[in-house]
């Protein structure tokens, strides 16, 4: 296995979607150090920062007993491993902290970055355990099932040969604005799973993979439970804990956050706006948009509605514009917090109110919006965790690495950088450098030499016999005809060589940059699991555990 890092900054400069704030934060440059100091709550790379935060978490008063009870109850739906149950029990101790990550409950695990995010949290827990053996670090996955954007999770893209195939699952039980996680799968999920599996070639691992998928994704199961079951099976040896916030008991643990948000609005939003202004003053974009009230109201059908102030007496539910009495919502906040769902601003506060979170493993856009939240954490008197960029990977199989091997020339590192950052220039340079024969010039010279030689011969032949000149002209014509035939054949051979190269590049693009996106943002993990089995996840884990957090990793397997 070979690993070649490409800086996030270079990728961002060449059209790959990495926010500037993220590239600076991950790069450990002077701007990154300033970001940590001004907008975050400690440096995840710094042993002193980590130790200091561990001490504060140990002394803080978290509802650990209630949290353990809740988590054990939830895991019953996800087929947990013994190691997961052991990790939950460890949370009773003040010397146990959480390494948290989360994502929407994507179909069949969603895009590859969900897998890499999860593996990053597990790897970080292991790394911190080695560095701080007196503490325990348990990986927890926040199941973002309250989101109502169905289109975000409804499709699966599979690599088939050297092309991609995207399948969309349309669930009749889903209704607009309904929380995706609560939506139950209908009987249509069975033929959909069959269709996905049919795209995968036969392999030594297909039977096991098919069993895992069918065991998780079956009629009457919710999207959330199906996702968690599948992920639980994939990471069964890693003690991964799953937490769903869509739970009455969980919302009761954090209702103080909802109460303060509602009774003091828009004070929290003003804090976030002030922090966001500082972010923008540094030349960065504020990723998350603030609302006056940073939670949704959930109706009886499980639909989420944004809440907006209207007048002294009423609030509006958007986008329906339905009015609701402030007193009615206040009663809900106090007595039925399960009817509330935090938005992107409040969700981190809610999670860390309940969990002793040492670190949150975040994607590029998440890192950017966490920079807006430092004052919000202070407003709610909640400990802000360390923010750790998730690992970012592109997997290069042998069929693709051989193409780069044949290119020769520059180092493999340089070739990958050119492919991802300057591909058009790379293609032109290759064609020019491998077209060292100027066929037009070569054949023009050859034709002139033939004509010159035949003219000299003609002068001598006439002295012998006048009729030989006519014969010489006929032979010259045949020679020039044959030379032209050879020229056309040479041009076809040269063009074919260029076409072969371009075809190989198209194959590389389909595998490494499907639809122009980074592989991790487009492909699902099913292709790799079918081809390599669970050892693929081990390869990912080893890569993350042994590599840094400051670059996108090109991984040859």
């Amino acid at each position: 296995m070979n690993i070649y890092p490409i800086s996030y900054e270079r990728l961002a400069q060449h059209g790959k979607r990495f926010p500037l704030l993220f590239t600076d934060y991950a790069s450990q440059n002077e701007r990154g150090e300033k970001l940590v100091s001004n907008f975050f709550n400690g440096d995840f790379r710094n042993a002193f920062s980590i130790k200091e935060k561990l001490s504060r978490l140990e002394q803080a008063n978290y509802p650990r007993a209630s949290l353990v009870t809740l988590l054990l109850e939830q895991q019953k739906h996800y087929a947990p491993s013994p190691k997961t149950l052991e990790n939950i029990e460890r949370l009773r101790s003040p010397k146990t902290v959480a390494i948290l990550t989360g994502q929407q409950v994507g179909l069949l695990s969603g895009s590859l970055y969900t897998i890499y995010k999860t593996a990053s949290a597990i790897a970080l827990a292991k790394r911190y355990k080695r560095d701080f053996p007196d503490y325990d670090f348990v990986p927890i996955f926040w199941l973002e099932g309250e989101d109502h954007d169905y289109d975000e999770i409804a499709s699966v893209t599979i690599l088939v040969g050297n092309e991609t195939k995207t399948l969309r699952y349309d669930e009749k039980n889903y209704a607009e604005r309904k929380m995706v996680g609560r939506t139950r799968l209908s009987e249509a999920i069975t033929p959909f799973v069959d269709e996905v599996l049919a795209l995968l070639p036969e392999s030594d691992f297909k039977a096991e993979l098919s069993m895992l998928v069918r065991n998780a994704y079956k009629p009457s199961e919710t999207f959330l439970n199906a996702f968690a079951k599948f992920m639980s099976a994939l990471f069964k040896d890693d003690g991964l804990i799953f937490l769903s916030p869509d739970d009455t008991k969980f919302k009761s643990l954090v209702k103080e956050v909802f109460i303060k948000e509602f009774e003091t609005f828009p004070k929290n939003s003003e804090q976030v706006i002030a922090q966001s202004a500082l972010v923008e003053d540094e030349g960065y974009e504020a990723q998350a948009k603030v609302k006056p009230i940073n939670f949704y109201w959930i109706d009886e059908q499980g639909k989420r509605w944004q809440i907006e102030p209207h007048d002294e007496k009423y609030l509006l539910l958007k986008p329906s514009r339905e009015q609701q009495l402030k007193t009615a919502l206040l009663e809900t906040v106090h007595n039925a917090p399960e009817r509330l769902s935090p938005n992107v601003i409040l969700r981190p506060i809610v999670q860390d109110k309940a969990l002793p979170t040492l670190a949150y493993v975040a994607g590029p856009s998440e890192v950017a919006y966490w920079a807006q939240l430092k004052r919000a954490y202070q407003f709610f008197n909640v400990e802000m965790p360390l923010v750790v960029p998730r690992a970012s990977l592109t997997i290069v199989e042998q069929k693709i690495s051989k193409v780069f091997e044949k290119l020769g020339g520059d180092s493999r590192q340089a070739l990958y950088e050119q492919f991802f950052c300057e591909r058009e220039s790379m293609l032109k340079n290759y064609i020019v450098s491998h077209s060292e024969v100027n066929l037009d010039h070569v054949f023009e010279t050859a034709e002139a030499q033939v004509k010159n030689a035949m003219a000299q011969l003609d002068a001598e032949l006439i002295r012998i016999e006048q009729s030989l000149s006519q014969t010489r002209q006929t032979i010259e014509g045949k020679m020039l005809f044959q030379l032209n035939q050879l020229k056309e054949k040479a041009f076809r051979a040269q063009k074919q060589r260029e076409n072969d190269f371009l075809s190989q590049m198209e194959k590389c693009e389909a595998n490494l940059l499907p639809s122009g996106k980074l592989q991790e943002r487009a492909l699902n993990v099913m292709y790799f699991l079918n081809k390599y089995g669970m050892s693929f996840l081990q390869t990912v884990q080893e890569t993350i555990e042994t590599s840094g957090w400051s670059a996108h990793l090109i991984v040859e397997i």
Side-chain angles (χ1 to χ4, degrees):
M1 181 172 68
N2 298 311
I3 302 173
Y4 304 96
I6 302 178
S7 75
Y8 291 120
E9 183 177 13
R10 182 136 196 243
L11 287 170
Q13 289 170 348
H14 292 86
K16 305 303 180 291
R17 291 186 306 152
F18 291 104
L20 176 60
L21 190 148
F22 169 78
T23 62
D24 282 345
Y25 185 77
S27 64
Q28 296 179 271
N29 58 20
E30 185 176 338
R31 283 173 64 85
E33 293 174 1
K34 188 176 180 181
L35 275 171
V36 171
S37 174
N38 292 345
F39 302 112
F40 293 89
N41 191 27
D43 187 349
F44 69 93
R45 307 176 185 93
N46 184 284
F48 178 78
S49 284
I50 298 166
K51 181 64 178 174
E52 191 178 53
K53 189 170 290 292
L54 284 169
S55 179
R56 290 201 298 272
L57 291 173
E58 184 178 356
Q59 296 170 25
N61 184 27
Y62 289 96
R64 290 179 177 271
S66 298
L67 186 61
V68 167
T69 300
L70 181 151
L71 289 171
L72 288 173
E73 185 65 30
Q74 286 194 3
Q75 303 315 295
K76 293 176 182 178
H77 302 287
Y78 314 143
S81 69
K83 191 169 182 180
T84 293
L85 299 179
E86 291 172 9
N87 274 346
I88 292 174
E89 290 293 343
R90 286 191 175 96
L91 281 166
R92 295 185 188 278
S93 167
K95 283 190 169 293
T96 298
V97 296
I99 306 298
L100 193 67
T101 194
Q103 194 63 39
Q104 293 162 295
V105 290
L107 197 58
L108 300 177
S109 79
S111 299
L112 277 166
Y113 63 72
T114 300
I115 299 295
Y116 302 156
K117 223 178 179 188
T118 307
S120 297
I122 293 167
L124 189 64
K126 291 178 180 178
R127 181 179 297 189
Y128 282 165
K129 180 62 179 175
R130 289 194 298 268
D131 294 343
F132 305 94
D134 292 341
Y135 291 85
D136 285 322
F137 305 83
V138 298
I140 299 179
F141 192 103
W142 177 279
L143 297 163
E144 190 46 72
E146 294 187 345
D147 194 277
H148 58 265
D149 190 346
Y150 182 79
D151 288 339
E152 282 283 325
I153 62 92
S155 298
V156 176
T157 299
I158 304 290
L159 191 61
V160 182
N162 293 310
E163 298 180 350
T164 56
K165 176 76 171 177
T166 298
L167 300 178
R168 178 183 169 88
Y169 176 67
D170 290 310
E171 176 51 65
K172 67 179 184 181
N173 290 331
Y174 176 75
E176 187 177 0
R177 303 201 68 81
K178 184 176 180 180
M179 296 189 295
V180 172
R182 287 190 189 180
T183 304
R184 292 198 176 274
L185 300 167
S186 66
E187 64 281 355
I189 192 62
T190 301
F192 177 83
V193 167
D194 290 342
E195 187 177 4
V196 172
L197 293 173
L199 294 176
L200 304 174
E202 293 302 319
S203 73
D204 293 339
F205 311 105
K206 187 172 183 179
E208 180 187 7
L209 178 60
S210 299
M211 181 184 68
L212 292 181
V213 173
R214 290 195 169 105
N215 184 54
Y217 286 87
K218 52 191 177 183
S220 79
E221 195 63 271
T222 64
F223 269 91
L224 185 144
N225 286 356
F227 174 92
K229 277 186 179 180
F230 186 51
M231 292 286 285
S232 179
L234 296 185
F235 293 97
K236 64 181 180 181
D237 297 326
D238 299 299
L240 182 63
I241 301 168
F242 294 91
L243 169 59
S244 169
D246 187 18
D247 183 296
T248 299
K249 293 178 181 177
F250 179 80
K251 293 287 175 63
S252 294
L253 292 180
V254 298
K255 75 175 184 177
E256 290 177 16
V257 174
F258 293 114
I259 291 171
K260 186 169 184 177
E261 172 71 14
F262 187 69
E263 292 186 345
T264 64
F265 82 83
K267 288 187 178 180
N268 175 40
S269 297
E270 291 169 352
Q271 296 297 319
V272 178
I273 289 169
Q275 182 82 0
S276 300
L278 295 176
V279 169
E280 291 174 339
D281 287 345
E282 293 296 324
Y284 302 113
E285 182 182 351
Q287 292 280 314
K289 304 306 178 186
V290 186
K291 305 298 181 183
I293 301 172
N294 291 291
F295 57 77
Y296 295 88
W297 181 69
I298 305 171
D299 68 16
E300 292 79 1
Q301 287 77 44
K303 297 180 179 182
R304 292 204 310 175
W305 302 93
Q306 184 182 319
I307 304 167
E308 185 177 273
H310 181 56
D311 57 29
E312 296 250 343
K313 188 175 181 181
Y314 290 100
L315 301 162
L316 289 180
L317 300 181
K318 294 183 65 178
S320 71
R321 310 301 293 177
E322 177 186 338
Q323 292 186 348
Q324 187 175 77
L325 285 167
K326 282 186 180 180
T327 53
L329 186 58
L330 183 62
E331 184 177 346
T332 298
V333 170
H334 279 272
N335 300 320
E338 67 275 9
R339 298 288 298 274
L340 309 174
S341 175
N343 69 1
V344 66
I345 297 295
L346 203 62
R347 178 192 56 76
I349 311 296
V350 166
Q351 71 186 26
D352 298 322
K353 176 68 175 177
L355 295 167
T357 311
L358 174 66
Y360 181 81
V361 176
S365 294
E366 287 179 301
V367 170
Y369 77 65
W370 274 78
Q372 299 172 240
L373 302 181
K374 187 173 183 178
R375 292 190 179 193
Y377 271 93
Q378 294 168 350
F379 177 75
F380 286 101
N381 195 29
V382 173
E383 178 74 19
M384 183 179 183
L386 303 171
V387 178
V388 184
R390 68 161 172 84
S392 179
L393 281 65
T394 293
I395 304 299
V396 183
E397 299 181 88
Q398 284 188 3
K399 65 179 181 179
I400 302 301
S401 61
K402 286 179 180 177
V403 175
F404 285 89
E405 186 177 338
K406 289 178 182 177
L407 293 178
D410 294 328
S411 69
R412 189 71 61 85
Q413 171 80 38
L415 285 173
Y416 281 126
E417 289 195 13
Q418 290 172 21
F419 177 81
F420 280 90
C421 301
E422 301 170 353
R423 193 160 58 263
E424 290 303 317
S425 176
M426 176 188 181
L427 296 179
K428 291 178 182 177
N429 291 340
Y430 179 88
I431 290 172
V432 170
S433 65
H434 286 75
S435 299
E436 64 278 359
V437 179
N438 186 332
L439 292 179
D440 281 318
H441 176 72
V442 167
F443 280 94
E444 284 174 7
T445 302
E447 184 176 333
Q449 290 173 342
V450 168
K451 289 179 177 180
N452 184 54
M454 294 303 284
Q456 293 177 18
L457 182 59
D458 190 59
E460 299 300 327
L461 290 175
I462 290 174
R463 294 172 57 188
I464 300 172
E465 173 60 54
Q466 187 71 30
S467 63
L468 290 175
S469 179
Q470 186 65 38
T471 304
R472 191 272 313 161
Q473 289 179 10
T474 302
I475 292 173
E476 180 181 340
K478 290 181 178 180
M479 290 176 67
L480 292 174
F481 175 78
Q482 292 296 328
L483 190 62
N484 190 61
Q485 291 289 98
L486 179 60
K487 177 182 177 180
E488 290 180 3
K489 190 172 182 179
F491 268 107
R492 286 196 299 270
Q494 188 180 66
K495 188 66 175 178
Q496 183 60 51
R497 185 165 67 173
E498 291 177 5
N499 288 340
D500 289 344
F501 169 70
L502 293 174
S503 177
Q504 290 298 305
M505 285 296 99
E506 288 175 0
K507 181 171 79 170
C508 292
E509 288 181 33
N511 282 262
L512 307 184
L513 290 168
S515 302
K517 300 177 183 178
L518 285 176
Q519 183 192 79
E520 64 180 23
R521 295 176 183 170
L523 298 184
N524 179 270
V525 74
M526 294 278 283
Y527 164 82
F528 295 103
L529 293 177
N530 183 67
K531 189 168 184 178
Y532 302 102
M534 294 302 170
S535 66
F536 173 75
L537 298 178
Q538 294 172 6
T539 298
V540 169
Q541 288 274 23
E542 290 170 9
T543 300
I544 295 172
E545 288 177 24
T546 57
S547 303
W549 311 89
S550 60
H552 180 78
L553 304 176
I554 310 300
V555 185
E556 292 183 340
I557 61 175

